[in-house]
Amino acid sequence: MGADSELDRRLVVAGHGPSAHRLVEALRERDTARTWTITVIGEEPRPAYDRVALTAHLDGADLVYPAHGGGVAVVTGERVTAVDRAARTVTTSAGRVAGYDALVLATGSAPFVPPVEGRDLPGVFAYRTIDDLDALREYAEGRATAAVIGGGLLGLEAARALQGLGLRGAVVEVAPWLMPRQLDEGGGAMLRRHIEGLGLAVHAGVPVRALEAGEDGAVRRVVLAGGAAIDAEVVVFSAGIRPRDELARACGLPVGERGGIVVDASCRTDDPAIWAIGECVEVGGTVYGLAGPCLAMAEVVADRLLSDASTAVFDGADTSAKLKLMGVDVAAFGDPSAGPERGALSVTYTDPVAGVYKRLVVSDDARTLLGGVLVGDAEPYGTLRAHVGGGLPDAPERMLFGGAEPAGGGELPGAAVVCSCNNVTADRIRRAVSEHSLTDVPAVKDRTRAGTSCGSCVPLLKRILDAELTAAGIEVGTALCEHFAHSRAELFDIVRVRRITSFTRLIEEHGTGRGCDICKPAVASILASLGNGHVLEGEQAALQDTNDHFLANLQRNGTYSVVPRVPGGEITPAGLIAIGEVARDFGLYTKITGGQRIDLFGARVEQLPEIWRRLTAAGFESGHAYGKALRTVKSCVGSAWCRYGVQDSTAMAIRLELRYRGLRAPHKLKSAVSGCARECAEAQSKDFGVIATENGWNLYLAGNGGMRPRHADLFATDLADDELITLIDRFLMYYIRTADRLQRTATWLETLDGGLDHLREVIVDDRLGICADLDAAMARHVAAYSDEWRDTLDDPDRLARFVSFVNAPHTPDPSISFGVERDQIRPLLPLEVKR
């Protein structure tokens, strides 16, 4: 039945989901002689689309895969209803009959809806297809409450979607913790804290007894075992899947005891002419519900169809996954369930304050990594997953706390699975790079399919590519992401020189695709740095990072913090009273920050405009605590009050803060001015720090505190006021022009070719001849500055976004609740919330 048999054989694929799409694409790529004519029959009214990103449909994303091209007939809106194995034909719901030489069943799965009373009521939905989401969105209009039955991956995605539709909701999971198939109990508990902190009620370890109708006959309540009830005008079932194996049953093919078309390791059924792939299959006693294994089955069948000599088999798949659920990083890899009975040890770290849970499972000698779970901080995922089954690159505790460097391309074992979605190993990537002279990530993705599904492996893929290119003596590219072949610094110059003012124009003229979570905020920052309007203006609003969406910092319980600017830490009694009155009237928690400001916590999103209306009337403006921008210029009182002070540090701090306020940069910027060598303002731990001398000011550059502190470098001594400001102007503008995305000044200086000496040549000696440009750029920033919050208050269109519920703009989110501690509010812990 392979390429050495007669030409023009007929292949029919029943079903057109991601697995079927992958099968057809694999055949088209490899079957250059076109030995198969292919007919794909799908029951949905559209071709195959990306189900992993299903929720993005509600945001307007186009999920449909590119068309297969010539030689493939795609039938939509028809379901295969019968298979005649003797005649080798299939019949569709429209009466169409198609003959086959080989048939692939790729019918997928159906949502499992438990047999509870009321499951057929109006207002009850599945969460499986684009049509499901369209119907859900239409029905949700004008309704306020919802519940999701099922706390797995898709259930939490559904809960996020319901919140996005303006519904306050709850998640019900029969298992004792969320995502029980991927997480251990500790990880599930930490995820629950995050989810509840975002305003969703979680009911775990309890089944649903019934759904009750309201007076209109539609669903109104979810009744749990034990009698507790949840208000829900919309109910979504996401309680697992069941294989769609009815075709196999009807034509006499074996199915598993719990469902699923039984296939062997080659994905062939008992009938030599019939294969099966995807979620409709039971292979090795397992039904797989993740994209990776299903796509791997498609690859196996493609190989088998093209050569009778093929030995391709599906021998299981890596079910590791890294996800971002409602803004929370979650990852599981290897076998996190391994315990002492299998000679395994666990290394666990829990930080309930930061919302972080990490657990590594290692061999009894702590040298071999078996698996793990990460919640709240999944940064080590790429490194850890790549080493599952092999030696740890560092001590377990260092891997947990980020002490080890990310896995480099040359360090990974060849058999390490880099992309679990598509079962792509490190060696496969290396071979592709070498054999096909690949030099960029898009080319590697196209050749190997690594990174083409969930995308979580792309950073590791890039490191492998870089290592291979470096080993071959080829210059490593600095592309920002797969959508732009340019680095951030190059994009900055393109935007500046060509006077580009929108992301759409930039990607149309200098990029590909639609953009991603890497390039969109980076370009938004570039546009803001170059003074291209308000960050919430038009298209720019959709590009921003999370906190910029509402010009405030999102907190753990779904509320926001408000930080007015207090230049140099100097504030009048009237200003203190105004802040105090706002905090009192809106019931906010107040705290003095390390940057000598006052932070107001606990504001609901709809309260932000009124809070800022009061603050701007009192003379305050945005402190930009939410943005990648200048935060504060901290100071001591200096010579005006202190008997040791030799210069007026407060006056200089205020001058600097007012000059650089609102300056958008690749990362946040912090500064301080100390009035003498005693250094009370801690200037040497800042991005740019100033210390007074008898003769002027010493300037220190590229320091930072945090997890990996760096002492700032002394750059210039005994500067006059204007000399100091000129050097800081140039330093900041050169950093903004040339730094990578999310690169602090400390890291930037360390990676700058020539380091501090080169920086001095650029901004003091003007070796590059750009000092006049840098000076002019800063002058434009200073002249164009306008307070973002004052501008927002003057614009009704921008104000329209500040609502908890899009369908009830004046309704506060009732799920937000507080306790009292030390005479101030604080978010309630999950166990404190009354059910």
Side-chain angles (χ1 to χ4, degrees), residues 166-356:
L167 301 169
R168 61 181 184 274
V171 177
V172 181
E173 169 58 49
V174 68
W177 59 84
L178 296 174
M179 291 186 64
R181 292 177 65 89
Q182 289 84 20
L183 301 182
D184 60 9
E185 184 174 3
M190 188 62 71
L191 178 59
R192 175 173 180 163
R193 289 173 62 91
H194 281 285
I195 299 302
E196 290 182 323
L198 293 174
L200 276 170
V202 176
H203 304 265
V206 56
V208 173
R209 191 174 72 189
L211 306 183
E212 291 185 350
E215 294 181 0
D216 60 355
V219 69
R220 187 64 183 82
R221 280 172 298 278
V222 176
V223 181
L224 306 179
I230 303 168
D231 289 339
E233 297 166 278
V234 177
V235 173
V236 173
F237 274 102
S238 183
I241 59 173
R242 293 294 181 267
R244 292 276 303 274
D245 57 14
E246 57 269 24
L247 275 177
R249 292 178 186 272
C251 70
L253 291 173
V255 297
E257 183 177 345
R258 302 191 59 173
I261 305 167
V262 174
V263 298
D264 61 18
S266 68
C267 296
R268 204 175 211 154
T269 69
D270 269 8
D271 186 325
I274 301 179
W275 314 73
I277 59 175
E279 294 176 343
C280 64
V281 165
E282 181 194 276
V283 55
T286 301
V287 174
Y288 290 91
L290 294 175
C294 296
L295 300 181
M297 295 180 206
E299 298 282 350
V300 168
V301 173
D303 275 353
R304 291 282 181 163
L305 289 173
L306 292 175
S307 173
D308 289 333
S310 171
T311 58
V313 294
F314 177 82
D315 54 3
D318 181 8
T319 57
S320 301
K322 178 186 176 185
L323 318 158
K324 185 176 282 289
L325 295 168
M326 304 179 75
V328 182
D329 286 325
V330 178
F333 50 91
D335 182 8
S337 64
E341 70 282 356
R342 294 170 53 186
L345 303 175
S346 291
V347 181
T348 304
Y349 169 73
T350 303
D351 182 352
V353 176
V356 173

Side-chain angles (χ1 to χ4, degrees), residues 368-394:
T368 303
L369 179 62
L370 304 179
V373 170
L374 306 170
V375 177
D377 175 15
E379 184 177 355
Y381 171 74
T383 298
L384 291 169
R385 188 193 64 187
H387 287 279
V388 169
L392 277 168
D394 208 333

Side-chain angles (χ1 to χ4, degrees), residues 546-554 560-562 608 612 625-626 789:
T546 301
N547 290 329
D548 285 294
H549 283 303
F550 293 112
L551 306 181
N553 279 347
L554 179 64
Y560 292 83
S561 66
V562 172
L608 291 172
W612 275 106
Y626 50 82
W789 258 111

